[in-house]
Amino acid sequence: MNTYSGESVNPRKEPEQLFELYSVPNYPKEYPAITKGKDIKSNKQTVEENDLLLCKINPRINRVWKTSNFTKNQSIASTEWIVVRQPNIHPIYLRYALMSPYFRKLMQKNVSGVGGSLTRAKPTLVKKYIIPVPPLSEQSQNFYSTIRRTSDFAEV
């Protein structure tokens, strides 16, 4: 499912550089933080336009973010995101698939942590989950009807 190979970045090495930061707290705003490297306190992972970010912290909360290039700054993401990159699946289709009840149930079956808000999805298991995928030409025609035809994603 995933062709992403993570690359870590330490933003503090470029203290004055602006970064487009996809963080879990910014998810509800649907816009990444534009932040100087000196203000970012931990290592991040690089992301590209149309990557999907699947939140691994507390997976009962449905957080899936499609990255964009809002600015010309380098895009980076918190390590609390599982980055999904799959050029053979339309990113909007993939986003809906990752938000589907089918996929959410899979994620919640295999978590680590003590429970509640301290649980984490396991990226090594998530990458093995199977998502029904129609041909690319069908994915972009009508996301809702395509998703309904391919599985029990109807509740998306």
Side-chain angles (χ1 to χ4, degrees):
M1 172 177 100
N2 196 0
T3 64
Y4 177 77
S5 177
E7 184 180 319
S8 181
V9 63
N10 181 347
R12 292 171 305 232
K13 288 185 177 180
E14 300 290 336
E16 296 304 314
Q17 180 178 334
L18 287 173
F19 291 89
E20 194 170 294
L21 173 61
Y22 289 84
S23 65
V24 176
N26 267 59
Y27 173 78
K29 299 174 188 171
E30 297 181 359
Y31 194 84
I34 309 303
T35 308
K36 285 188 175 184
K38 67 182 178 185
D39 297 322
I40 301 171
K41 305 300 180 199
S42 60
N43 285 357
K44 303 298 177 208
Q45 53 191 332
T46 59
V47 292
E48 297 175 3
E49 185 173 19
N50 291 323
D51 282 346
L52 275 292
L53 305 178
L54 178 63
C55 193
K56 63 183 170 183
I57 186 171
N58 198 0
R60 66 181 174 77
I61 300 173
N62 200 346
R63 293 177 284 215
V64 181
W65 201 353
K66 185 181 88 56
T67 62
S68 299
N69 285 336
F70 288 100
T71 68
K72 294 183 182 197
N73 302 314
Q74 181 181 359
S75 295
I76 57 176
S78 163
T79 56
E80 291 295 351
W81 297 105
I82 299 170
V83 180
V84 179
R85 181 177 299 152
Q86 181 40 264
N88 298 318
I89 304 175
H90 195 289
I92 303 283
Y93 176 87
L94 185 55
R95 181 173 185 264
Y96 282 108
L98 295 175
M99 294 178 78
S100 72
Y102 161 82
F103 191 84
R104 304 313 300 180
K105 287 175 192 171
L106 287 174
M107 275 187 68
Q108 291 177 51
K109 277 186 189 178
N110 299 295
V111 296
S112 62
V114 295
S117 63
L118 299 176
T119 59
R120 301 277 189 287
K122 299 175 185 175
T124 55
L125 294 177
V126 171
K127 73 179 184 179
K128 296 177 183 177
Y129 298 158
I130 295 171
I131 296 175
V133 180
L136 192 57
S137 61
E138 289 181 32
Q139 293 172 34
S140 59
Q141 289 172 4
N142 184 327
F143 299 112
Y144 298 108
S145 64
T146 302
I147 288 170
R148 284 188 179 105
R149 279 195 322 271
T150 55
S151 120
D152 65 340
F153 295 161
E155 297 177 38
V156 175

